[in-house]
Amino acid sequence: GMTGSAESIAVVDDMEEIRVPKFYSKYILGVYGTGSHVPILEGAPTTVSCQLAAVIGSQCHRVQRDEANDFIAGVCVCCDFSVQDWDTNESKWLIAKAYDAPLLIGPAMLAMSAVQDLESINMHASINGDIIMECVVSEMIDDLAAFLAQVFKFMTL
């Protein structure tokens, strides 16, 4: 799946700064359900972050920001793992996040039809029952619709 992360800045000809989300991939070998035993690389400083996963409900391509949410079937919490030592250069998103790193998804998907206010959804990530991170969707660096519109520019989902 495609996931978004910390912002990067693009500078255009007139020197106006534009935020551009950074993308990285997580591959099917690393996807686990809630409660799964997750392999961690021994001796590697691993970080875990709580993120919002969007489940795309129908095929879309070149969709604008104001239409992006129409293609989301639902959302769920995911815990993303990465190795800190491997994120020190420009290719860090591929190396640090796409190794056989776990991506825990679940425990359930919340259908968009049941979402009254996406921005107010509270999320938390836990390991062995201990909450390691809590956040609200409105605190995310990138707006979900804007992020998806960026992905839809170059990829059909």
Side-chain angles (χ1 to χ4, degrees), residues 13-93:
D13 289 339
D14 64 1
M15 300 306 289
E16 175 186 345
E17 291 184 356
I18 302 171
R19 278 183 2 89
V20 178
K22 289 191 176 185
F23 304 103
Y24 56 88
S25 296
K26 296 299 267 194
Y27 300 101
I28 194 68
L29 289 176
V31 177
Y32 295 84
T34 301
S36 298
H37 173 75
V38 175
I40 303 294
L41 295 176
E42 277 190 48
T46 303
T47 60
V48 181
S49 63
C50 181
Q51 298 187 10
L52 180 70
V55 178
I56 305 302
S58 59
Q59 185 172 326
C60 51
H61 183 69
R62 301 210 174 153
V63 173
Q64 300 301 313
R65 183 190 178 285
D66 60 344
E67 304 169 309
N69 286 345
D70 296 339
F71 292 89
I72 302 173
V75 293
C76 59
V77 176
C78 65
C79 295
D80 179 38
F81 292 69
S82 62
V83 176
Q84 284 182 319
D85 283 358
W86 296 351
D87 67 2
T88 57
N89 60 47
E90 190 54 38
S91 64
K92 68 182 179 179
W93 302 112

Side-chain angles (χ1 to χ4, degrees), residues 4 6 18 31 35 49 51 98 108 111 120 122 139 151 154:
I18 302 171
V31 177
S49 63
Q51 298 187 10
S120 68
N122 292 303
E139 297 171 349
V151 173
F154 64 89

